[in-house]
């Protein structure tokens, strides 16, 4: 297999009329490094300029997942570096997410297995998003003292009702049917048939050919939980504050509500409040760039604080799963405290003069 990416963790080649990008870091669940992001951007640019390429196919090596997200351990390890170095990954990643959202050719993402965090960013912005019976999708950032980024504050508010708010605040995993219901995927294909679908896509001539090829393999997924639980989510997560959301869940006398409340109480209080703020702002935003710029600013502030490093330490470094959040309670975090995460940081804009 020819590899033109310049990074062995990203394999690229052309087969027939399709350009392929395959993440090749299976032992790390294909978590993205800065080098991988840059290699993907280079490949996407080359495929866009290649008239012989009619579509691009993104997949992940191994059977465990497309991508478990950005390699936050690398950001953690750079905690004593300059702010420019600490945020370099996002300054490469977020523009790539936008490139995928506006890609001039069909972008087909095989969202097989684990698709989390940054894995959602490189797939859910694509034009043709395929999930399988093995898909486990989540934006789990509040568990590590962070918030859903990679444009998730643009995508999640578009999910039906308050299902996107639930996804963003709890970080809960969903399967294929719920990913489609939430507007984060388009088609379900059995994982065993992906090789056949891949072969069919190498012969497509245009987008209508491509969609017809996908539909030949598409099937109905097993029913998810979002349609059945939406009424609970809408009732609770439409509230204006985290405190009111939790209070609403507590009064419902509903097992799902109790489980949701228990999960939220383990999350970073700061992350919960910041996430809700960003999701509400995303709902009223003009476009993806506005959300990505806002997420970048908030991320810069997060890296100046405590909870992100404590969350990564707890989950990925010491693995004790016992984070000590600071502040430790919702009551200790005011609206003014949350608004400080949106204040200009002095960092350069990701998309100068562009606000689409």
């Amino acid at each position: 297999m020819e590899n033109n990416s310049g990074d062995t963790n990203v394999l690229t080649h052309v087969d027939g009329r399709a350009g392929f990008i395959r993440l090749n870091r299976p032992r790390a669940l294909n978590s993205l490094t800065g080098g991988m992001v840059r290699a993907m951007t280079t490949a996407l640019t080359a495929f866009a300029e290649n008239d012989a390429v009619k579509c691009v196919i993104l997949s992940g090596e191994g059977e465990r997942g497309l991508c478990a997200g950005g390699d936050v351990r690398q950001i953690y390890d750079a905690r004593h570096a300059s702010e420019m170095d600490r945020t370099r990954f996002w300054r490469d990643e977020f523009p790539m997410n936008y490139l995928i959202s506006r890609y001039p050719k069909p972008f087909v993402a095989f969202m097989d297995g684990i698709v989390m965090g940054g894995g959602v960013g490189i797939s859910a912005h694509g034009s043709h998003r395929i999930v399988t019976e093995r898909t486990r999708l989540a934006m789990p950032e509040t568990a590590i003292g962070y918030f859903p980024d990679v444009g998730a504050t643009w995508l999640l508010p578009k999910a039906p009702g308050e299902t996107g708010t639930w996804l963003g605040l709890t970080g809960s995993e969903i399967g294929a049917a719920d990913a489609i219901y939430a507007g984060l995927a388009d088609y379900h294909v059995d994982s065993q048939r992906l090789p056949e679908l891949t072969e069919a896509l190498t012969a497509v001539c245009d987008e209508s050919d491509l969609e017809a090829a996908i539909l030949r393999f598409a099937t109905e997924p097993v029913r998810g939980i979002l349609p059945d639980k939406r009424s609970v989510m809408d009732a609770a997560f439409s509230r204006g504050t985290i405190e009111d959301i939790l209070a609403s869940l507590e009064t419902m006398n509903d097992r799902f509500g109790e489980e949701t409340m228990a999960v939220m109480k383990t999350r970073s209080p700061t992350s919960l409040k910041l996430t809700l703020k960003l999701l509400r702002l995303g709902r009223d935003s003009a476009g993806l760039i506005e959300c990505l710029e806002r997420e970048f600013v908030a991320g810069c502030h997060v890296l100046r604080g405590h909870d992100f490093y404590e969350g990564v330490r707890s989950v990925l470094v010491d693995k004790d799963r016992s984070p000590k959040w600071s502040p430790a309670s919702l009551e200790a975090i005011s609206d003014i405290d949350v608004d400080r995460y949106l204040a200009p940081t002095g960092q350069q804009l990701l998309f100068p003069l562009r606000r689409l």
Side-chain angles (χ1 to χ4, degrees):
M1 177 183 294
E2 182 182 2
N3 179 34
N4 299 313
S5 74
D7 188 317
T8 58
N9 290 325
V10 176
L11 305 178
T12 67
H13 72 289
V14 175
D15 183 1
R17 297 188 176 96
F20 287 81
I21 299 176
R22 188 168 186 84
L23 306 184
N24 186 38
R25 203 177 172 220
R27 293 182 63 182
L29 290 174
N30 297 316
S31 295
L32 298 172
T33 65
M36 291 170 70
V37 169
R38 291 186 289 274
M40 289 180 65
T41 300
T42 298
L44 287 167
T45 301
F47 289 150
E49 296 172 351
N50 186 342
D51 291 339
V53 172
K54 303 302 181 184
C55 69
V56 172
I57 300 173
L58 172 71
S59 62
E61 186 64 39
E63 297 183 351
R64 297 175 64 194
L66 169 65
C67 176
D71 193 339
V72 295
R73 177 63 186 265
Q74 288 192 343
I75 300 176
Y76 174 89
D77 290 340
R79 60 193 180 279
H80 300 305
S82 68
E83 184 161 88
M84 185 66 71
D85 287 337
R86 291 200 307 267
T87 61
R88 190 176 307 278
F89 178 77
W90 295 329
R91 286 186 282 109
D92 290 330
E93 183 187 29
F94 289 9
M96 179 186 65
N97 299 142
Y98 179 73
L99 172 62
I100 291 171
S101 77
R102 292 298 185 93
Y103 202 64
K105 299 178 180 182
F107 180 94
V108 183
F110 286 175
M111 302 168 71
D112 185 31
I114 292 175
V115 184
M116 296 185 180
V120 175
I122 60 173
S123 57
H125 291 297
S127 61
H128 296 77
R129 306 160 301 175
I130 298 171
V131 286
T132 76
E133 79 284 356
R134 302 189 298 197
T135 297
R136 302 306 304 165
L137 185 149
M139 294 299 297
E141 287 80 5
T142 56
I144 59 167
Y146 190 50
F147 59 86
D149 63 349
V150 295
T153 61
W154 172 250
L155 294 170
L156 292 178
K158 291 176 169 48
E162 296 294 337
T163 56
T165 312
W166 175 80
L167 285 167
L169 289 174
T170 66
S172 297
E173 295 182 8
I174 56 174
D178 285 333
I180 293 172
Y181 181 84
L184 301 172
D186 304 299
Y187 312 93
H188 171 265
V189 174
D190 190 285
S191 60
Q192 293 184 340
R193 303 206 69 187
L194 291 180
E196 297 174 74
L197 173 58
T198 300
E199 183 176 357
L201 293 179
T202 64
V204 301
C205 296
D206 53 34
E207 188 166 351
S208 62
D209 274 356
L210 181 139
E211 291 180 354
I214 294 174
L215 287 173
R216 288 202 302 272
F217 294 91
T219 59
E220 284 294 319
V222 175
R223 184 177 176 85
I225 69 166
L226 292 186
D228 294 334
K229 301 302 181 183
R230 180 178 164 183
S231 61
V232 175
M233 295 177 188
D234 287 357
F237 287 85
S238 61
R239 306 303 178 95
T241 68
I242 298 297
E243 292 90 338
D244 287 345
I245 290 172
L246 290 172
S248 178
L249 290 169
E250 192 169 15
T251 63
M252 287 183 177
N253 194 27
D254 174 89
R255 181 176 179 180
F256 175 78
E258 292 173 356
E259 292 172 349
T260 296
M261 184 169 54
V263 168
M264 289 179 64
K265 288 183 176 180
T266 69
R267 302 320 197 202
S268 158
T270 299
S271 292
L272 290 175
K273 288 203 168 187
L274 178 58
T275 294
L276 184 61
K277 177 80 171 184
L278 291 170
L279 290 174
R280 295 298 191 244
L281 290 172
R283 179 173 290 171
D284 297 326
S285 293
L288 175 59
I289 283 181
E290 183 179 339
C291 291
L292 287 169
E293 291 280 21
R294 189 184 297 119
E295 291 168 5
F296 179 67
V297 168
C300 291
H301 285 292
V302 165
L303 293 189
R304 297 173 180 177
H306 168 273
D307 277 9
F308 172 78
Y309 301 109
E310 174 63 7
V312 175
R313 179 208 63 76
S314 170
V315 174
L316 299 176
V317 181
D318 298 334
K319 300 181 181 180
D320 58 24
R321 300 280 175 173
S322 298
K324 303 296 187 292
W325 305 124
S326 180
S329 68
L330 293 168
E331 294 74 21
I333 306 164
S334 69
D335 291 343
I336 293 175
D337 294 329
V338 176
D339 288 342
R340 290 193 182 104
Y341 284 88
L342 306 179
T345 64
Q347 281 272 27
Q348 67 189 50
L349 292 174
L350 298 176
F351 306 94
L353 305 180
R354 293 161 68 184
R355 281 290 177 272
L356 297 179

